[in-house]
Structure formats: structure tokens, C-alpha cells
Amino acid sequence: MTPVIEVNHLVHNFGDTPALRGIDFSVQKGEIFALLGPNGAGKTTTIRLLNGLFTPTGGQIRLLGLDPTTQGDQVRQQTGVLTETPALYERLTAWQNIEFFGTLAGMPTPAWRKRGQELLVFFELEKRANERVAAYSKGMKQRLALARALLHDPPVLFLDEPTSGLDPEAAGQVHDLIESIRTEQGRTVVLCTHNLVEAQRLCDRVAILQRGLVLASGSIGDLRKGFDSGQWVMVKLLGTSSAGLRDQIMALPGVKQAKVETRPEGVISCKIQVQSNEDTADLADYLVRNGYRLVALQPQDISLEDIYFKLQDQAKGEQNEVA
Ligand code: ATP
């Protein structure tokens, strides 16, 4: 199947500053794909290039078969973009914003009216449609900004930090909406986020960037395979002291790594990497035999956060060696 987005060896310099140093990735129809990376990694530059707002220094982009460099207007008819700060007119009402952006997109009045009404209902804003946006909460503004990005019914949606600054409840609502935009409407979503829990929850595949390079890309399952053998186990214990516990755990056969910390409520919390289930059972026996009382013992999947920080650290180490 032809990907919706295909990026081949994309390079972009701002004067002497390299922002992208040859990145490759592709996004399939109906996927939620995340671009992850620290500040300055090149995520926003990538989104701007994909929307034809800059001309790349080198490489190739295809979005629904179009070249954003030479067919920018056609590309932007197929894409909706949610920027980091909602681009809305605060002094206008939600409905006036819909009218303004619908007209700007060249939509006939009956079309923006119908679609605007549907979107305000979908985003649960219809009862407040005639209030000025300045009076909206951040979560409501973000929902309206999503409605604005979807107004011209684009099959591809770019979301730059869609939940930054939102409280957990509003962020959760936006997550649900992003999922339904994909599942009910079959759109392709490209998401930039610093929130790795958000990316792990929402995304089918990710690309992890650093300083203009892709360090790794794929599903979280794919990235785990290239990670580390072994199993992480979370253990919570009651005991009189955790002094020397890490060294004792590290001395057990099959233990690869261990982190031990004592929580204020007196619970000793450990994250331990072992080679096999046998090692987990031996670990539990050892702790009980040595007077610790087990509160919890739970195998844990390697999280996107574990993978992200390991890759970033490895890349920094390699860059320091070169320097
Ligand atoms: P953030 O997470 O902070 O949004 P980012 O991953 O989106 O970061 P970019 O904004 O794409 O990163 O920036 C990549 C690099 O390009 C950085 O070194 C940045 O300083 C530089 N850069 C971005 N936009 C411009 C610009 N308009 N002019 C000059 N340099 C720029």
C-alpha cells in the first residue's frame, strides 16, 4: 500500500544551522504517527516542510502523492494543522471563528455552516458557540482549534503538542477525540509531543529524533525488540531498612540492573531487570527469606519512556566521542 506520507533523506538548513540532517520515515493511511524528540530536534521544521511552508535543502517528500515544495496549495487542501498555541481569534465567538476560517479556506457558506455545526456538536461546544473565545477555558480553546483544523475535512491532520498546558481531564478529553478522529473518521494523524505517555497511549508508530536525525522509528513493539533482552519487574516491599539492598539484589544470579528507593510512607520501591521468569521467582524467595514483606511484584513492559531516554543517552554518548 502506498504510504500517505513518504519522507526520503530530508535535509533542511536555516542558514548555517542544520535543522534536519537526512531523515527518512513513512506514515500509512489511518495511522497515528508521533514525531518525538527534545527541543530543537526538528519536529516543527518537519511539519512545516510537509505542509510546503519551507523549501527543503535536500531530499524528497510525498504527501498523498503530492510534492509540498511545488504543490503547496494542493497539499494544504489535504491537511489540517493544529499549532502549539491555538490559532484562533479570541475577540470573535467560536461561530465567528468558524465563519472566518471556513471562508478563508474558500468553502462555500452552506458548506462551512453545515460542517461547522457538526464539528461544534462533535467537540461539545455548540451550547457556547456564541461566546467569545477569550472566555473559553484552555481545553475548550484546544477543542475549537481542533474543529478549525478539521473544518475543510482534510484526510491528514498534524497536531503539534495538542495537550500542552491542559489539565489531566482536558488532556484526556483531547486524547479521546484524537482517537475518535482516527477510528471513526479514518484520518491519518501526525503528532508532535514531549509527552511520552501520551505517545505510547495514542500512537501506532513513532520516530524518535535528535538534532535533526532519526534515532529509531517503528511501533513500540519494534523498538522494544531492538532494546534490551530481559524483563523488568516492579517490586514494593515493607522492611526495616533498604541499606545495602541494591547490592544484595545485584549479587543474585540473573539480575542485570536494579534501582532501589525508599518512599516517604516507608515502602521500599525497586525496579529490577532480570533475565527470566525463574529469576523473578528466585528474587521473590530471596526477599521473603531475608525478612522483607512483599506488597507488590509486577512484571513491567519496557515503556516508550525507557526506550526514548536510552536512545537519547546513546546518541549523546556517540556525539561526545566524536567531539
Ligand atoms: P521544540 O520541541 O522546541 O518545538 P522542534 O523539535 O520542533 O523543537 P525545530 O523548531 O524544528 O525543533 O528546530 C530545529 C532546529 O532549527 C533548531 O536548532 C532551531 O533553532 C532551528 N530553527 C527552527 N526554526 C528556525 C527559523 N525559523 N530560523 C532559524 N532557525 C530555526
Side-chain angles (χ1 to χ4, degrees):
M1 206 168 52
T2 314
V4 169
I5 298 173
E6 219 171 347
V7 169
N8 289 309
H9 211 70
L10 185 62
V11 176
H12 193 69
N13 299 333
F14 290 103
D16 292 338
T17 310
L20 297 176
R21 297 188 282 156
I23 64 166
D24 299 88
F25 66 87
S26 61
V27 183
Q28 302 294 332
K29 184 175 185 316
E31 266 191 329
I32 303 184
F33 185 88
L35 292 172
L36 307 174
N39 296 128
K43 305 177 296 291
T44 306
T45 304
T46 305
I47 290 192
R48 292 195 172 137
L49 288 165
L50 289 172
N51 280 280
L53 302 177
F54 297 143
T55 302
T57 310
Q60 252 207 345
I61 307 171
R62 284 287 175 277
L63 190 146
L64 292 168
L66 301 164
D67 179 352
T69 311
T70 55
Q71 298 171 291
D73 286 341
Q74 284 155 275
V75 165
R76 288 186 290 275
Q77 281 168 15
Q78 305 292 328
T79 62
V81 182
L82 178 80
T83 48
E84 221 170 316
T85 40
L88 298 166
Y89 286 100
E90 299 244 337
R91 288 156 69 131
L92 300 183
T93 66
W95 188 247
Q96 287 167 335
N97 270 278
I98 295 283
E99 174 177 3
F100 177 81
F101 288 110
T103 311
L104 192 69
M107 295 171 75
T109 303
W112 67 251
R113 278 183 183 236
K114 180 169 181 294
R115 179 93 182 124
Q117 182 60 31
E118 284 166 6
L119 286 166
L120 290 179
V121 170
F122 181 75
F123 288 108
E124 296 181 9
L125 291 168
E126 78 279 17
K127 292 200 181 87
R128 311 270 304 260
N130 294 319
E131 274 178 45
R132 283 187 185 195
V133 171
Y136 275 22
S137 68
K138 271 194 175 171
M140 289 167 73
K141 284 181 193 169
Q142 201 66 338
R143 297 201 317 266
L144 182 58
L146 273 170
R148 184 214 146 166
L150 287 166
L151 194 56
H152 58 298
D153 207 7
V156 184
L157 198 60
F158 292 93
L159 307 176
D160 202 350
E161 294 290 338
T163 56
S164 89
L166 298 187
D167 67 39
E169 196 185 337
Q173 268 183 350
V174 170
H175 290 161
D176 292 344
L177 291 170
I178 295 170
E179 274 176 339
S180 56
I181 286 166
R182 183 268 295 273
T183 47
E184 290 167 24
Q185 305 172 5
R187 284 173 222 273
T188 306
V189 179
V190 177
L191 176 76
C192 290
T193 182
H194 290 288
N195 182 335
L196 300 172
V197 176
E198 171 172 284
Q200 177 152 0
R201 169 177 163 187
L202 290 176
C203 296
D204 302 297
R205 291 189 309 124
V206 304
I208 301 178
L209 278 74
Q210 198 207 59
R211 293 198 198 171
L213 289 173
V214 174
L215 301 180
S217 68
S219 68
I220 294 170
D222 292 339
L223 297 183
R224 274 190 194 122
K225 278 184 215 148
F227 196 65
D228 228 348
S229 59
Q231 165 75 62
W232 282 95
V233 187
M234 184 275 297
V235 183
K236 289 188 190 295
L237 303 167
L238 292 181
T240 45
S241 162
S242 63
L245 178 60
R246 182 178 176 278
D247 290 343
Q248 293 165 36
I249 293 172
M250 285 299 292
L252 295 172
V255 172
K256 299 173 78 178
Q257 297 185 62
K259 293 176 206 157
V260 175
E261 58 183 53
T262 305
R263 295 277 159 82
E265 62 274 24
V267 176
I268 303 166
S269 178
C270 313
K271 205 173 163 193
I272 300 163
Q273 193 186 26
V274 293
Q275 268 161 356
S276 67
N277 286 338
E278 283 283 300
D279 299 328
T280 304
D282 289 346
L283 171 71
D285 283 350
Y286 174 86
L287 292 168
V288 171
R289 267 192 280 113
N290 284 276
Y292 292 97
R293 295 173 66 209
L294 271 180
V295 179
L297 186 147
Q298 195 169 25
Q300 297 215 303
D301 281 336
I302 293 167
S303 68
L304 179 58
E305 195 169 316
D306 295 328
I307 295 166
Y308 178 92
F309 285 112
K310 177 135 187 184
L311 286 169
Q312 298 288 342
D313 287 349
Q314 268 173 1
K316 274 187 213 151
E318 282 161 21
Q319 281 151 12
N320 290 341
E321 272 172 34
V322 171

